[in-house]
């Protein structure tokens, strides 16, 4: 402690005299306070905490899902420098893996350093110039959030809404696109707040015919349900690492089509964010065959996602989609046998990766959630935004989409309902 005071005292004196030369006199009490604060925050908490300890939990809510063990192992590998050639090679492998997962030949794939929200913001900040019309399909909180975010980038936002638990028909979208002729149309493929799956059939062509770019959120759907970026004419996609890709949170898969890149190139003003400027991030990812430092890539998270994408490629997209579909059916067979019903009325609107279950009259949904956690170390979730208090949400995503996990969820519901005398 005495040593600390010895070190700090000359610094404080220097600060006082520097301040005085600019007409500022540092209060004398600083010296006393600073040394007291060093003493006040001591390190006794370290002894109490010792080594980090994390309980083991099965994460069957809307995300994160449990990461694949191979992904966790990859994350534990020694760090490389963010510009070292072997690390740049790993980034190239990730771009390649993303091309497969997204089904695109575009060279413009990368991982945004950040979660799904960073992907969302990168899309809006780069595609939208002030005054551009953005048509937002608002089917739940993700559409709502894209509207809020777009307004912060001075977009002229037009929102269309559909009833909670439904999706937009092609006719709804055609009418809205032809009426508003937006620069960008936003749709969320897997709306995790309501458990709906937005069909993208024909929407890419519709957008092309109207000079509109199609932006799609696939945070909860990529790897769980079919997506063909090129064949469906999608122009920009952002996604999440911690859902069907079985990775940790912190890297957002991202894609731009040639059309989207043209819009970016023709901007009159640079994107209002330095952090998420694709001209700069693209340079780090080698989009223009050179590599420049923009930020320090999250090295360990990128290792993890390189491995996650490798696992996707090994399993193959079609078997992966089929596995998710099969587990969704298995879940509903079990839930129906307990008298539970889907919140989304029409089967074709249901998202298979995040399932919404109606909370029956007289059941305390939060008690069921707590019982599952207390007795099974199992995470299931309640509703969000428009579904808060009305549903439970069960994620069937990635590494977790397997029979024993689905069966455990059904057992937990059975026990949770029994505890309340509802079975
Ligand atoms: C559909 C959808 N979009 C965006 C997000 C935001 O992603 P993140 O929480 O990783 O920022 C989520 C998160 O659950 C989501 O489900």
């Amino acid at each position: 402690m005495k040593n600390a005071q010895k070190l700090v005292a000359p610094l404080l004196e220097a600060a006082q005299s520097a301040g005085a030369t600019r007409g500022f006199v540092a209060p004398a009490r600083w010296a006393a306070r600073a040394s007291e604060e060093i003493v006040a925050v001591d390190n006794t908490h370290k002894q109490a905490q010792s080594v980090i300890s994390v309980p083991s939990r099965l994460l069957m809510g809307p995300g994160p899902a449990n990461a694949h063990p191979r992904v966790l192992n990859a994350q534990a590998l020694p760090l490389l420098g963010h510009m070292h050639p072997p690390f740049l090679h790993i980034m190239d492998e990730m771009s390649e893996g993303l091309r497969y997962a997204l089904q695109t030949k575009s060279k413009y794939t990368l991982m945004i350093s950040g979660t799904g929200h960073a992907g969302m913001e990168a899309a809006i900040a780069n595609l939208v110039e002030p005054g551009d019309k953005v048509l937002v399909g608002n089917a739940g909180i993700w559409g709502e959030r894209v509207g809020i975010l777009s307004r912060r980038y001075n977009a002229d936002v037009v929102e269309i809404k559909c009833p909670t638990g439904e999706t937009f028909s092609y006719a709804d979208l055609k009418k809205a696109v032809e009426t508003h002729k937006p620069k960008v149309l936003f749709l969320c493929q897997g709306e995790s707040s309501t458990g709906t799956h937005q069909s993208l059939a024909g929407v890419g062509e519709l957008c092309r015919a109207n000079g509109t770019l199609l932006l799609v959120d696939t945070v909860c759907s990529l790897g769980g349900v079919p997506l063909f970026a090129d064949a469906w004419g999608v122009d920009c996609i952002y996604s999440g690492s911690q859902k069907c890709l079985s990775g940790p949170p912190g890297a957002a898969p991202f894609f731009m089509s040639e059309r989207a890149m043209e819009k970016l190139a023709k901007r009159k003003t640079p994107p209002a964010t330095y952090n998420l400027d694709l001209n700069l991030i693209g340079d780090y990812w080698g989009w223009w065959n050179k590599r420049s430092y923009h930020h320090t890539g999250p090295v360990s998270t990128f290792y993890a996602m390189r491995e996650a994408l490798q696992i996707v490629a090994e399993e193959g997209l079609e078997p992966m989609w089929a596995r998710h579909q099969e587990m969704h059916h298995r879940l509903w067979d079990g839930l129906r046998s307990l008298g539970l019903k889907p919140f989304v009325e029409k089967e074709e609107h249901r998202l298979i990766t995040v399932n919404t279950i109606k909370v029956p009259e007289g059941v305390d949904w939060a008690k069921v959630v707590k019982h599952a956690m207390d007795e099974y170390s199992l995470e299931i979730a309640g509703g969000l935004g428009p579904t808060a208090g009305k549903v439970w949400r069960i994620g069937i995503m990635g590494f977790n989409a397997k029979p024993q996990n689905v069966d455990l969820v059904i057992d937990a519901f059975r026990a949770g309902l029994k505890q309340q005398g509802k079975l």
Side-chain angles (χ1 to χ4, degrees):
M1 192 214 313
K2 275 192 179 150
N3 275 346
Q5 276 173 347
K6 258 190 227 158
L7 284 171
V8 167
L11 296 175
L12 282 165
E13 271 164 32
Q16 274 179 317
S17 63
T21 59
R22 279 181 246 116
F24 169 76
V25 181
R29 64 180 155 40
W30 276 15
R33 275 254 312 275
S35 52
E36 277 160 21
E37 275 160 11
I38 286 162
V39 178
V41 185
D42 64 23
N43 62 354
T44 47
H45 70 284
K46 280 198 178 153
Q47 289 139 29
Q49 281 177 194
S50 76
V51 174
I52 185 171
S53 135
V54 176
S56 162
R57 289 190 170 158
L58 180 59
L59 306 176
M60 298 293 281
N66 294 85
H68 194 291
R70 256 173 73 185
V71 168
L72 295 176
N73 285 340
Q75 202 168 9
L77 291 170
L79 292 187
L80 286 169
H82 58 287
M83 297 298 290
H84 290 188
F87 185 63
L88 298 178
H89 176 69
I90 286 169
M91 290 168 73
D92 290 343
E93 290 179 329
M94 290 162 79
S95 300
E96 197 60 48
L98 280 174
R99 276 190 273 281
Y100 174 66
L102 296 160
Q103 288 296 289
T104 179
K105 293 202 162 75
S106 167
K107 69 190 251 205
Y108 306 113
T109 56
L110 51 70
M111 292 267 181
I112 298 287
S113 302
T115 67
H117 276 90
M120 183 192 293
E121 186 145 359
I124 296 300
N126 286 276
L127 292 182
V128 176
E129 285 193 85
D132 278 357
K133 195 170 273 181
V134 177
L135 180 63
V136 176
N138 178 347
I141 77 150
W142 303 111
E144 189 182 304
R145 213 158 270 195
V146 166
I148 294 168
L149 210 148
S150 302
R151 284 188 197 94
R152 293 202 182 181
Y153 284 88
N154 297 316
D156 174 9
V157 176
V158 179
E159 268 187 30
I160 47 170
K161 281 198 166 196
C162 61
T164 303
E166 293 185 22
T167 61
F168 298 100
S169 68
Y170 177 76
D172 295 332
L173 297 172
K174 184 168 181 330
K175 189 169 160 217
V177 169
E178 287 177 351
T179 306
H180 300 289
K181 301 260 183 222
K183 288 273 169 43
V184 176
L185 167 66
F186 167 81
L187 291 173
C188 183
Q189 188 186 29
E191 179 45 82
S192 56
S193 66
T194 60
T196 52
H197 180 165
Q198 174 63 52
S199 164
L200 299 171
V203 185
E205 281 155 48
L206 171 71
C207 286
R208 264 147 223 259
N210 288 275
T212 301
L213 294 174
L214 176 57
L215 163 63
V216 180
D217 173 325
T218 69
V219 172
C220 268
S221 52
L222 182 65
V225 303
L227 174 80
F228 298 92
D230 287 357
W232 291 356
V234 185
D235 293 297
C236 182
I237 292 173
Y238 63 86
S239 194
S241 48
Q242 73 273 25
K243 315 264 184 171
C244 303
L245 299 181
S246 314
F254 197 88
F255 146 83
M256 295 274 277
S257 70
E258 290 285 347
R259 291 170 79 224
M261 289 304 290
E262 269 167 40
K263 171 109 173 51
L264 176 64
K266 284 188 188 146
R267 287 184 68 105
K268 291 187 197 78
T269 51
T273 160
Y274 188 88
N275 227 1
L276 296 172
D277 184 340
L278 287 174
N279 295 302
L280 306 175
I281 303 176
D283 234 0
Y284 179 31
W285 281 80
W287 279 4
W288 296 284
N289 306 324
K290 56 187 172 69
R291 313 296 282 237
S292 316
Y293 166 68
H294 168 257
H295 66 283
T296 304
V299 175
S300 309
T301 308
F302 281 2
Y303 292 164
M305 290 318 296
R306 183 275 182 204
E307 203 61 3
L309 290 165
Q310 171 68 19
I311 293 166
V312 169
E314 284 170 17
E315 181 175 5
L317 284 173
E318 282 162 319
M320 208 172 155
W321 299 331
R323 177 166 58 84
H324 283 82
Q325 181 81 27
E326 208 185 305
M327 291 307 113
H328 162 79
H329 288 311
R330 189 180 183 107
L331 175 74
W332 277 106
D333 287 348
L335 294 177
R336 280 207 183 84
S337 74
L338 304 176
L340 294 170
K341 298 204 169 67
F343 175 74
V344 179
E345 296 294 336
K346 291 191 187 143
E347 191 167 356
E348 67 272 22
H349 290 175
R350 278 179 215 146
L351 179 62
I352 63 170
T353 54
V354 178
N355 297 265
T356 41
I357 302 150
K358 265 189 201 163
V359 177
E361 278 288 315
V363 171
D364 182 337
W365 68 267
K367 266 194 185 168
V368 176
V369 169
K370 184 171 181 319
H371 189 260
M373 183 56 82
D374 292 348
E375 300 300 319
Y376 296 78
S377 249
L378 167 69
E379 182 190 52
I380 57 178
L384 179 68
T387 60
K390 296 181 188 157
V391 303
W392 290 285
R393 292 182 301 153
I394 300 297
I396 298 204
M397 296 191 282
F399 179 65
N400 279 354
K402 49 187 168 198
Q404 61 269 37
N405 294 345
V406 171
D407 295 350
L408 192 76
V409 169
I410 297 162
D411 284 351
F413 269 101
R414 186 180 296 109
L417 293 172
K418 268 194 187 154
Q419 193 206 26
Q420 295 186 42
K422 299 294 173 186
L423 264 188

